[in-house]
């Protein structure tokens, strides 16, 4: 009678990895245990030789890229693109035609290496970025089994094929991530097999290896924001620190802090905990055990992270702090977290995809004004959402602004981050 097979043997050992059962002698048709057997069937077991601690690319090497000639990823779900920027081990920005868009790599979830830094996060990011930067061809492929074309935060979901190799799968084989939620994905067999294989090989995150550059048991350093910014950055990087700061602005997941004595600032990344009442604007706080970091990529500046493990104490409430006036051309990472006023700026261009516009000061220096449309929090900690209506503004419009000096999002200058809709005064 028709039925399913249970309890198939798995003949793996220290030097042999059992890939799985196949219904053909060439090992191209994996047998799935959910298949109902209705007639006599011969199965073939596949094994490969392995060496502990060494990556094995069996699964990515067995895949072939589908035909993508004369097709568009944005229109057809598969097509050639160019790399715009690396973001993480599982996220990057690509260009197709005139459009720049962000892609989350399907089936993987590498450790964080941006505003949150986790063990193996930066090595995973560097590995993926190096491969993509040196690629002769990059092709993105959507998988119907993933459901929607886009996921959280509006990012596209795709396999990233680099010179014919599925980079998503290669990240698993290198031990930078497990297979994540592959379900009915097109390459589910390969993703699950690669995940089991890298775990068997004891590779990086998949095994018991520690990230050699991550300070797992570093002692907390008592210091100041000024010392973090102007001192030996690498001596503090990724270490837990205790600092005091005055909250100058809150925008979404970012709380901006100013040194209570000196003109230096940074921001505190709260991840999903955006409405901590202890971090109300004007509060002088002591933050203990937050991790200090500066991104190795030319994207962000100095910041605190690891909010979950940090202690926050209010030292004084409603402290007065001044806004600053700087020549925009002199802004650098030391000013991150300070609130500045800039007058008589002129809009020069828009980037609607990034909710960013650019403006020029009277000296002709252009700066980006970023994260329009991001949630902000007023003094009563009431979350609001606001964005500048690009349809109501034009190139050439003049305005005054009060803004936080924020993360470095361009290699040549800092950006301003609007802290409140009332902080933009239109002049024309």
């Amino acid at each position: 009678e028709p039925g399913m097979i249970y309890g198939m043997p798995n003949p793996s050992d220290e030097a042999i990895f059992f890939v799985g059962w196949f219904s053909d002698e060439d090992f191209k048709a994996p047998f799935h245990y959910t298949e109902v057997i209705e007639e006599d069937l011969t199965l073939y077991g596949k094994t490969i030789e392995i060496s502990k601690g060494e990556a094995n690319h069996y699964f990515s090497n067995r895949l072939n890229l589908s035909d993508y000639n004369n097709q568009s990823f944005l229109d057809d779900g598969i097509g050639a693109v160019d790399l715009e920027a690396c973001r993480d081990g599982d996220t990057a920005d690509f260009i197709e035609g005139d459009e720049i868009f962000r892609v989350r790599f399907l089936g993987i979830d590498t450790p964080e290496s941006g505003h949150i830094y986790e063990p193996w996060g930066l090595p995973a990011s560097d590995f993926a970025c190096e491969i993509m930067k040196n690629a002769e061809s990059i092709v993105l492929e959507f998988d119907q089994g993933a459901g929607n074309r886009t996921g959280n935060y509006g990012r596209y979901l795709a396999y990233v094929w680099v010179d014919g190799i599925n980079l998503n799968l290669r990240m698993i084989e290198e031990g930078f991530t497990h297979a994540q939620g592959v379900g009915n994905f097109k390459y589910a067999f390969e993703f699950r097999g690669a995940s089991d294989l890298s775990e068997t090989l004891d590779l990086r995150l998949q095994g018991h290896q520690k990230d050699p550059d991550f300070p797992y048991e570093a002692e907390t350093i008592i210091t100041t924001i000024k010392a973090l910014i102007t001192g030996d950055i690498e001596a503090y990087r990724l270490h837990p620190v205790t600092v005091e700061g005055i909250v100058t602005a809150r925008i979404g997941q970012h709380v901006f802090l100013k040194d209570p004595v000196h003109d230096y600032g940074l921001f505190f990344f709260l991840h999903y905990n955006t409405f901590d009442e202890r971090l109300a604007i004007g509060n002088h706080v002591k933050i203990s055990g937050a991790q200090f970091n500066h991104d190795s990529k030319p994207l962000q500046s100095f910041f605190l992270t690891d909010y979950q493990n940090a202690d926050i104490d209010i030292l004084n409430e409603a402290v007065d702090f001044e806004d600053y006036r700087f020549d925009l051309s002199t802004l650098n990472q030391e000013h991150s977290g300070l609130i500045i006023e800039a007058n008589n700026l002129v809009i020069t261009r828009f980037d609607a995809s990034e909710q960013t516009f650019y403006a020029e000061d009277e000296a002709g220096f252009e700066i980006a004004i970023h994260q329009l449309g991001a949630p902000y929090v007023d003094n009563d900690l009431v979350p609001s959402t606001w964005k500048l209506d690009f349809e109501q503004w034009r190139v050439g419009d003049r305005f005054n602004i009060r803004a936080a000096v924020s993360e470095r999002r361009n290699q040549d200058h800092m950006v301003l981050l609007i802290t409140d809709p009332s902080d933009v005064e239109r002049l024309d």
Side-chain angles (χ1 to χ4, degrees):
E1 293 183 3
M4 293 187 291
I5 301 176
Y6 297 96
M8 295 287 286
N10 184 340
S12 294
D13 59 32
E14 287 294 316
I16 296 294
F17 177 78
F18 181 68
V19 172
W21 293 97
F22 295 78
S23 57
D24 67 315
E25 296 184 20
D26 297 325
F27 306 112
K28 294 182 179 180
F31 173 76
H32 298 282
Y33 295 109
T34 57
E35 294 182 23
V36 176
I37 309 302
E38 297 184 351
E39 58 186 20
D40 290 346
L41 176 68
T42 300
L43 296 177
Y44 303 87
K46 172 69 175 178
T47 61
I48 56 175
E49 295 183 359
I50 57 174
S51 297
K52 285 278 188 178
E54 296 182 9
N56 188 297
H57 299 150
Y58 167 81
F59 287 97
S60 62
N61 286 343
R62 76 186 296 271
L63 288 182
N64 294 313
L65 177 61
S66 302
D67 179 35
Y68 59 91
N69 290 330
N70 302 316
Q71 296 191 73
S72 157
F73 170 71
L74 294 177
D75 295 336
D76 307 312
I78 188 171
V81 296
D82 293 314
L83 178 68
E84 165 67 12
C86 304
R87 295 292 176 180
D88 217 332
D90 54 21
T91 309
D93 294 346
F94 297 98
I95 306 171
E96 184 179 275
D98 296 329
E99 188 164 350
I100 299 174
F101 53 94
R102 188 156 299 171
V103 170
R104 180 66 158 76
F105 302 178
L106 270 172
I108 64 174
D109 185 13
T110 61
E112 300 289 343
S113 66
H115 288 166
I116 299 175
Y117 188 93
E118 298 172 329
W120 293 112
L122 187 57
S125 178
D126 289 345
F127 181 86
C129 191
E130 187 69 15
I131 289 178
M132 290 187 289
K133 282 185 174 180
N134 293 303
E136 293 184 6
S137 69
I138 299 178
V139 176
L140 300 180
E141 179 189 13
F142 174 65
D143 190 332
Q144 296 293 336
N148 296 327
R149 292 275 307 272
T150 57
N152 295 334
Y153 314 111
R155 300 173 297 187
Y156 285 91
L157 304 174
Y159 300 114
V160 182
W161 293 87
V162 181
D163 296 333
I165 297 297
N166 189 305
L167 180 58
N168 312 42
L169 189 53
R170 185 59 57 87
M171 297 300 289
I172 299 174
E173 290 177 326
E174 292 288 337
F176 288 119
T177 175
H178 300 273
Q180 296 286 334
V182 294
N184 296 319
F185 284 9
K186 181 177 181 180
Y187 308 116
F189 173 80
E190 287 79 11
F191 273 57
R192 292 192 186 102
S195 193
D196 290 342
L197 176 56
S198 59
E199 186 172 351
T200 298
L201 293 173
D202 203 27
L203 294 177
R204 299 187 173 92
L205 185 70
Q206 286 271 47
H208 300 90
Q209 297 181 8
K210 287 192 172 182
D211 181 348
D213 297 321
F214 191 88
Y216 288 91
E217 299 178 358
E219 294 184 1
T220 300
I221 301 172
I222 300 175
T223 184
T224 65
I225 290 177
K226 177 183 177 181
L228 292 176
I229 303 304
T230 62
D232 182 356
I233 302 301
E234 291 306 318
Y236 295 115
R237 185 169 183 264
L238 301 182
H239 285 255
V241 298
T242 295
V243 296
E244 294 183 20
I246 298 172
V247 179
T248 59
R250 298 180 53 123
I251 307 172
Q253 300 162 313
H254 296 68
V255 170
F256 293 86
L257 301 165
K258 175 193 174 299
D259 189 300
V261 178
H262 304 283
D263 297 337
Y264 296 92
L266 45 64
F267 69 90
F268 188 14
F269 181 65
L270 307 191
H271 206 201
Y272 298 114
N273 305 279
T274 54
F275 306 120
D276 190 323
E277 62 183 10
R278 295 170 295 181
L279 295 169
I281 294 173
N283 279 2
H284 178 185
V285 297
K286 181 171 77 171
I287 300 172
S288 304
Q291 186 187 60
F292 173 70
N293 200 5
H294 71 94
D295 204 303
S296 63
K297 294 167 281 191
L299 299 175
Q300 284 98 22
S301 55
F302 307 107
F303 59 95
L304 301 178
T305 185
D306 200 16
Y307 166 86
Q308 297 283 17
N309 294 314
D311 293 324
I312 303 171
D313 296 309
I314 300 174
L315 303 181
N316 291 291
E317 295 181 337
V319 175
D320 290 331
F321 59 89
E322 63 177 317
D323 295 344
Y324 293 85
R325 289 181 179 271
F326 296 108
D327 289 337
L328 297 184
S329 61
T330 67
L331 294 178
N332 56 50
Q333 290 182 331
E334 296 178 358
H335 300 119
S336 180
L338 301 183
I339 304 300
I340 71 166
E341 295 179 4
N343 294 329
N344 203 26
L345 302 182
V346 181
I347 294 179
T348 56
R349 55 195 171 104
F350 296 93
D351 184 349
S353 65
E354 288 288 335
Q355 279 297 299
T356 301
F357 68 96
Y358 293 78
E360 196 172 74
D361 64 12
E362 293 176 319
F365 180 81
E366 187 183 67
I367 195 165
I369 302 173
H370 193 72
Q371 282 208 4
L372 306 179
Y376 74 94
V377 183
D378 65 21
N379 287 331
D380 295 324
L381 299 177
V382 177
S384 305
T385 300
W386 168 79
K387 77 175 186 177
L388 190 66
D389 186 352
F390 285 176
E391 297 299 321
Q392 302 300 317
W393 288 73
R394 297 287 185 271
V395 171
D397 286 351
R398 294 181 177 272
F399 62 96
N400 299 333
I401 192 172
R402 178 181 182 271
V405 182
S406 185
E407 307 138 81
R408 185 184 295 270
R409 298 211 178 250
N410 298 281
Q411 296 188 28
D412 54 346
H413 55 69
M414 301 293 287
V415 302
L416 301 181
L417 187 60
I418 296 175
T419 63
D420 187 284
S422 64
D423 289 337
V424 180
E425 178 189 6
R426 190 167 186 165
L427 301 178
D428 295 323

